[in-house]
Amino acid sequence: MASFPTLADCMDCHKTPQGREPAEPEVRAFAARGQALTWVRINRLAGHVYFSHAAHVSLASMNCEECHRDMKAVGEAPTVPDVHGK
């Protein structure tokens, strides 16, 4: 199932400021309050659709960046689905 990262996952990178997005410091503010992040879903699959990354990641040895941008280099939050594929 598609899911959002946990606050702990986000803090792996966001312990220090990242990019120029004005709302980016809020990640640390949420962490300081011990509050879960509020996510905005930008895409949704039909209820009967299940997409497993296993075939791509494990069997084809693809890197995430081959379909999704390098999220560490993104300067602002995506507002539309960001899947490029080959």
Side-chain angles (χ1 to χ4, degrees), residues 52-62:
S52 172
H53 287 83
H56 299 91
V57 176
S58 300
L59 301 175
S61 299
M62 292 173 65

Side-chain angles (χ1 to χ4, degrees), residues 29-41:
F30 274 85
R33 293 189 299 263
Q35 184 180 6
L37 291 169
T38 303
W39 290 101
V40 176
R41 184 175 293 278

